[in-house]
Amino acid sequence: MSDTAAIPLPEQLTLSGAAQTLERLREALLRQAGPTVVLNAEPLRVFDTSAVAVLLELRNALLTQGKTLQVSRMPQRLQALVTLYGVAELLPA
């Protein structure tokens, strides 16, 4: 799947809006066809560890449908958080 078909993450993903973002993205991801669903993380500018939690929740929701999640264009700081929490292998780029 190309990045043009990827679902963009919001510019901001912090604890205060994580639940709403999770719900919006979950609905969008579950409607995607194909075995791999791609999120474009490039728009992310303001985020905290909640972003990692949201990505893992989305991954788990897709797994229940037999699909996988791919996160493209992950900002370096988000990559660092994913690595710090030891979940890089769960959120492939």
Side-chain angles (χ1 to χ4, degrees):
M1 182 177 283
S2 69
D3 278 354
T4 57
I7 298 168
L9 289 177
E11 186 175 319
Q12 181 171 328
L13 182 45
T14 59
L15 181 59
S16 63
Q20 295 87 349
T21 299
L22 175 62
E23 192 56 37
R24 183 180 59 78
L25 288 171
R26 185 189 328 247
E27 290 172 11
L29 291 181
L30 295 178
R31 286 193 302 263
Q32 295 295 305
T36 301
V37 177
V38 181
L39 280 177
N40 178 1
E42 187 174 33
L44 272 180
R45 297 288 180 260
V46 179
F47 57 91
D48 58 20
T49 57
S50 300
V52 176
V54 166
L55 292 174
L56 290 172
E57 283 290 326
L58 293 171
R59 175 189 177 270
N60 291 341
L62 288 168
L63 283 177
T64 65
Q65 291 196 338
K67 297 180 180 183
T68 58
L69 177 65
Q70 179 181 342
V71 183
S72 70
R73 301 177 183 224
M74 198 180 294
Q76 188 173 358
R77 198 167 62 85
L78 183 56
Q79 288 177 350
L81 283 175
V82 165
T83 301
L84 177 68
Y85 285 101
V87 295
E89 70 280 355
L90 300 178
L91 299 169

